[in-house]
Amino acid sequence: MRIPLRTSKCIFRIIPFLLFFIHISLSAQDPRYINTKDHSVLINALANEADNSITLSWLENDLELGYKIERRKLGASYFPISPLAELEGKIHEFVDNGVEPGQIYEYKITGLRNGSVSLTFERQDGTEFDSAVAFNFNSYGYILAGVKAVSDNQTGRLLLLVDETIAEPLQAEIERYKIQAANEGWDVVSREVPRTEKFDGNAVVQVKSVILDVYTEYQDLSHIFILGRVAVPYSGRINPDAHKNHIGAWPADVYYGIAYDNNWKDQTIYDTSASRQQNRNIPGDGKFDISMLSTAIVNFAVGRVDFYDMPEFEENEIELLRNYLDKNYQYRTGNTAYQTRGLVDDNFGAKKYLEGFGSSGWRNLASLCGKDNVVSLDWFTTLEEQSYLWAYGCGGGTYIKAGGIGFTENFANAPAVNAVFTMLFGSYFGDWDSQNNFLRASLASKPSILTCAWAGRPPWYFHHMAAGMNIGFSTVLSQTNSTEYLPNGYFLNGPNGNASVQQYGTKQVHAALMGDPTLRMFMGNKAPENFKVTSNENGTALLTWNSPDGVSDDHYFDVYQDYLPDNESFEKINIEPVRTNSFDIGYETDGDYKFKLVLMELKETNTGSFYMQGECSTVQATLLDVPEDERANSLISQPNPATDNSTITISMANPAELRVVVYDIAGLPVKTLFGGRKAAGSHSIAWSLTDDGGHKLPAGVYFIHYSIGSQSGSEKIVILR
């Protein structure tokens, strides 16, 4: 891989300016500047529940001049203009006092360092030369932290897209996967789609139509797992590995993750220069024109497991898929042995590539596994004997190798590659729809690799997973990131000048996850036991259960209800966490219902204390049939989903005190719609979808909770923007 020509030209022109204004001393060069570990801030966070504080600490490095610490609540659009703290000198710890329990915070730590480094540049004729350049640079680290906090991005609505030719031979494994995902809290929808071995633009559009049909039915769709040889979208005129024979359309599964975007056309790009036929893009060939996700919103996290055209492996495609589903199940159920630590094998460094590709390894793995638990070792020889939850590797590549790491045949023949979540980077193989592709080969290895991303152009950001979020969340974040998260920044005009951030490939359409997008770092928790439903004479229901053996003292339960004709649209019915082993629904109901009970258990991680979602228990019951004219109360909101306004209609059997409050998905009140006494009958409340401050609520899922005397209930409402 090389620096793109326009970048090398720009840097080449800057060198005389630097030589004139900056004193350069070859003897002052510090060789650690070619080590991407020194281009990252490696962070830990410790939650102190006694005084609601968070202690941030980071790996010591004597190159540093100081640090800037920024903080925002998770979900905020920007970090505040004013930093939380600015530290000078060799300080490696900061205590954030008085944080709000239950709230997840995101911290950004910027380290300012300086020195002299010899960089490799490329002349216009293609030859290279080294030149010593002195400048300051910023390194970055990101981490989520919280005190007894809970993430809303642990599960959701999953669409399983299955190649129809594998549905029968893998029926047992696919059904097991669906049951296990449902046990974890996922609402699973499955669709079979035609197998498409060669590129077919019409097949791509047909698959997208299936996705949109599901989205029309289930507005809470959030994740798509592609299993088997499903049509591969191609798009753009890009070459993020900077090779002239590799410019054109690249595989673009992100197309399936975008609900509605009229920019996906096939009208303008004409480029047949690529050596690989699949990359050539001409109008009308079914490959799209779009190269950048400039304004698009990625609605669904997409991940793919596709072992088509992998003859390097002895097993056939069906067996490789079966092996993947087996190890997926083993990991999800807590039967995969691993050490929570990270491995980085960086064969690029930062001497020639200012981006510092390996920083995607050091920066992420420190936040995920601990700043002292990340090591630099050889990939295959280490992973054959030792287990690492996370592993990163990069080096000059082809479609079937990464220099200094290995080849596809290593994945096929190694007795073991003991990692679970991986990142690999190098030339060519980021174009993953190729024979014996190195990126896809990682998932076909044994015994445990489940995900892989081409992390370097663009950099990827996984630090959210330490708080319990699934890898699909990180996928969307990395696909849409531009300047919100930075790998590093170089100040070519001194520390007070403008930073030149070397970051290529951001928001380009090729960024994709190989693997299951629903996976999390903390899985295998037990489910509640002896879950039962008792139907009372007055039409209410009492739920009872036992906590599983071995669960920590600090845990609670969430209760979900589904009226079966609604086709498994579960709605959360408890407002406050349930910390006992019973729950009285409290309002009259009748018919066939399914109830889902979710265990939330407090876990200490490298970034704080978080309630992690365990497995669920479900039970189905037919509740007492109450005659229509004797039903006590009901609430309905229309339209739902809503975009600008909604009308809430409440039917009351008797005069009573009525309270109607809107809660967000985290269970926090955002709008009080009514509080007072109402007569019997039907009442309507108009709501402009604003909060108590008059601000429009962002798109998402909310719950309208009503209490009428001693009875209560809730209804889910979806807001679209």
Side-chain angles (χ1 to χ4, degrees):
M1 295 185 66
R2 298 172 294 179
I3 292 180
L5 184 58
R6 63 180 183 277
T7 303
S8 59
K9 287 180 179 178
C10 177
I11 296 175
F12 187 80
R13 296 189 187 104
I14 289 173
I15 289 175
F17 178 87
L18 293 170
L19 293 174
F20 182 80
F21 285 97
I22 302 177
H23 297 291
I24 296 176
S25 170
L26 292 176
S27 61
Q29 178 178 326
D30 192 319
R32 287 175 296 173
Y33 275 81
I34 67 174
N35 186 342
T36 52
K37 180 178 181 180
D38 288 309
H39 292 229
S40 309
V41 182
L42 281 59
I43 318 172
N44 284 359
L46 177 66
N48 189 332
E49 298 171 8
D51 61 0
N52 294 324
S53 67
I54 293 172
T55 299
L56 302 173
S57 61
W58 49 94
L59 198 67
E60 296 183 14
N61 191 314
D62 60 12
L63 296 174
E64 56 200 35
L65 297 177
Y67 288 95
K68 179 171 69 173
I69 300 175
E70 300 169 76
R71 187 193 76 181
R72 65 180 176 182
K73 290 184 177 180
L74 183 63
S77 299
Y78 305 99
F79 287 99
I81 296 176
S82 299
L84 182 65
E86 291 183 287
L87 310 175
E88 295 182 359
K90 312 301 181 182
I91 299 174
H92 305 102
E93 185 173 287
F94 174 79
V95 180
D96 187 5
N97 290 301
V99 299
E100 180 183 342
Q103 177 66 53
I104 297 180
Y105 297 93
E106 184 171 32
Y107 293 90
K108 173 184 178 182
I109 301 182
T110 304
L112 178 64
R113 302 168 183 173
N114 68 353
S116 175
V117 61
S118 178
L119 298 176
T120 301
F121 298 97
E122 180 182 328
R123 298 184 178 93
Q124 295 187 39
D125 63 3
T127 61
E128 297 178 347
F129 67 97
D130 287 357
S131 179
V133 179
F135 50 78
N136 293 31
F137 71 94
N138 280 353
S139 55
Y140 296 97
Y142 302 90
I143 199 165
L144 290 192
V147 178
K148 291 191 172 183
V150 58
S151 163
D152 297 324
N153 297 283
Q154 300 188 43
T155 57
R157 173 74 63 178
L158 169 66
L159 169 60
L160 183 62
L161 279 179
V162 180
D163 165 1
E164 63 184 8
T165 66
I166 71 171
E168 182 175 349
L170 294 176
Q171 180 180 1
E173 289 80 6
I174 293 172
E175 187 63 25
R176 181 185 63 187
Y177 175 88
K178 291 160 61 176
I179 292 172
Q180 179 60 29
N183 287 344
E184 295 162 10
W186 288 94
D187 296 320
V188 184
V189 181
S190 180
R191 297 288 185 271
E192 294 180 19
V193 292
R195 180 178 179 84
T196 309
E197 295 187 353
K198 304 301 180 183
F199 176 76
D200 185 337
N202 291 328
V204 169
V205 174
Q206 290 171 5
V207 172
K208 183 63 171 285
S209 178
V210 171
I211 294 171
L212 293 180
D213 286 345
V214 172
Y215 184 46
T216 299
E217 184 174 0
Y218 301 101
Q219 288 290 311
D220 58 349
L221 178 63
S222 59
H223 289 65
I224 301 173
F225 181 18
I226 299 172
L227 190 61
R229 188 58 183 181
V230 175
V232 179
Y234 276 76
S235 189
R237 184 182 182 273
I238 59 175
N239 62 333
D241 58 4
H243 289 280
K244 295 178 181 178
N245 66 346
H246 202 189
I247 188 169
W250 279 41
D253 268 352
V254 71
Y255 168 71
Y256 289 144
I258 298 172
Y260 303 106
D261 185 353
N262 293 327
N263 293 319
W264 292 81
K265 306 290 186 182
D266 177 22
Q267 300 173 345
T268 59
I269 289 182
Y270 189 101
D271 194 318
T272 60
S273 63
S275 58
R276 184 170 176 261
Q277 175 67 39
Q278 289 90 332
N279 302 122
R280 300 170 189 172
N281 193 354
I282 62 175
D285 63 353
K287 299 171 186 174
F288 299 111
D289 300 326
I290 188 170
S291 298
M292 302 284 293
L293 304 175
S294 55
T295 59
I297 297 175
V298 179
N299 306 88
F300 322 123
V302 180
R304 175 188 288 259
V305 175
D306 181 350
F307 297 132
Y308 168 71
D309 203 16
M310 300 290 283
E312 188 66 48
F313 288 82
E314 180 180 352
E315 301 93 335
N316 62 31
E317 184 179 351
I318 293 296
E319 289 306 310
L320 290 175
L321 288 168
R322 178 174 286 113
N323 291 341
Y324 180 88
L325 290 172
D326 284 344
K327 64 183 179 181
N328 185 298
Y329 180 74
Q330 293 299 315
Y331 175 75
R332 303 182 89 106
T333 53
N335 293 309
T336 298
Y338 60 81
Q339 295 291 321
T340 305
R341 55 188 178 183
L343 180 150
V344 177
D345 188 354
D346 181 0
N347 295 278
F348 278 124
K351 181 177 181 181
K352 180 177 177 181
Y353 301 102
L354 302 184
E355 300 129 286
F357 305 126
S359 64
S360 281
W362 292 108
R363 182 187 60 251
N364 281 301
L365 272 54
S367 295
L368 296 167
C369 302
K371 61 182 175 63
D372 299 314
N373 296 325
V374 187
V375 296
S376 177
L377 293 170
D378 181 74
W379 233 74
F380 281 104
T381 57
T382 303
L383 295 177
E384 182 176 333
E385 300 292 338
Q386 304 175 36
S387 71
Y388 287 79
L389 181 60
W390 284 87
Y392 177 92
C394 65
T398 68
Y399 292 106
I400 61 170
K401 79 163 188 177
I405 306 297
F407 295 79
T408 292
E409 65 185 68
N410 293 108
F411 282 121
N413 300 321
V417 188
N418 291 297
V420 178
F421 301 103
T422 67
M423 295 172 269
L424 291 167
F425 183 70
S427 292
Y428 295 103
F429 65 81
D431 177 8
W432 51 261
D433 186 27
S434 54
Q435 186 180 70
N436 286 325
N437 178 266
F438 189 64
L439 202 70
R440 289 192 291 136
S442 63
L443 272 59
S445 67
K446 297 176 181 178
S448 54
I449 293 180
L450 294 175
T451 70
C452 194
W454 197 61
R457 287 180 175 168
W460 279 60
Y461 298 88
F462 293 101
H463 58 280
H464 301 79
M465 292 181 65
M469 298 182 184
N470 59 66
I471 198 168
F473 180 91
S474 298
T475 299
V476 173
L477 182 150
S478 300
Q479 289 171 330
T480 57
N481 174 64
S482 179
T483 58
E484 183 174 8
Y485 298 101
L486 302 174
N488 47 56
Y490 291 81
F491 290 84
L492 297 179
N493 295 320
N496 297 319
N498 293 322
S500 173
V501 178
Q502 304 295 326
Q503 185 172 216
Y504 300 101
T506 56
K507 302 196 79 169
Q508 289 189 354
V509 295
H510 67 285
L513 177 71
M514 299 294 101
D516 181 350
T518 71
L519 294 169
R520 295 179 282 119
M521 277 184 59
F522 307 98
M523 306 190 77
N525 296 333
K526 296 181 180 180
E529 300 170 350
N530 299 320
F531 187 30
K532 299 177 181 178
V533 181
T534 302
S535 181
N536 299 323
E537 292 184 358
N538 62 356
T540 65
L542 177 66
L543 312 181
T544 60
W545 60 88
N546 296 330
S547 296
D549 293 336
V551 68
S552 68
D553 292 338
D554 198 338
H555 67 275
Y556 67 88
F557 301 91
D558 283 328
V559 184
Y560 295 80
Q561 174 182 281
D562 168 39
Y563 182 53
L564 291 184
D566 288 343
N567 198 19
E568 296 192 356
S569 294
F570 281 101
E571 296 182 5
K572 183 179 173 183
I573 58 176
N574 62 295
I575 299 301
E576 298 295 330
V578 180
R579 296 190 178 273
T580 62
N581 284 14
S582 65
F583 181 77
D584 193 331
I585 291 179
Y587 53 90
E588 295 182 14
T589 185
D590 66 278
D592 292 327
Y593 284 84
K594 182 181 286 186
F595 295 94
K596 180 169 66 177
L597 185 66
V598 181
L599 169 66
M600 304 295 293
E601 183 177 4
L602 190 69
K603 300 279 189 181
E604 296 287 342
T605 78
N606 178 59
T607 69
S609 57
F610 299 91
Y611 285 102
M612 302 295 182
Q613 184 164 313
E615 290 196 15
C616 309
S617 291
T618 58
V619 64
Q620 187 170 326
T622 299
L623 302 183
L624 183 65
D625 187 12
V626 180
E628 183 73 24
D629 57 359
E630 294 182 15
R631 294 180 186 173
N633 309 293
S634 66
L635 178 148
I636 188 170
S637 58
Q638 293 179 320
N640 190 359
T643 55
D644 298 308
N645 297 280
S646 182
T647 298
I648 293 87
T649 302
I650 301 160
S651 297
M652 298 175 58
N654 301 292
E657 289 291 324
L658 170 66
R659 183 172 176 80
V660 184
V661 179
V662 181
Y663 290 81
D664 64 17
I665 199 167
L668 300 175
V670 295
K671 178 69 174 181
T672 299
L673 294 174
F674 184 82
R677 190 169 182 81
K678 284 283 189 182
S682 180
H683 307 280
S684 295
I685 301 173
W687 178 34
S688 58
L689 310 185
T690 59
D691 61 16
D692 283 327
H695 307 101
K696 286 188 175 295
L697 290 172
V701 177
Y702 297 83
F703 296 91
I704 304 173
H705 182 76
Y706 68 92
S707 58
I708 301 174
S710 62
Q711 297 180 351
S712 63
S714 62
E715 175 171 317
K716 179 175 70 176
I717 183 170
V718 177
I719 296 179
L720 302 178
R721 297 296 188 189

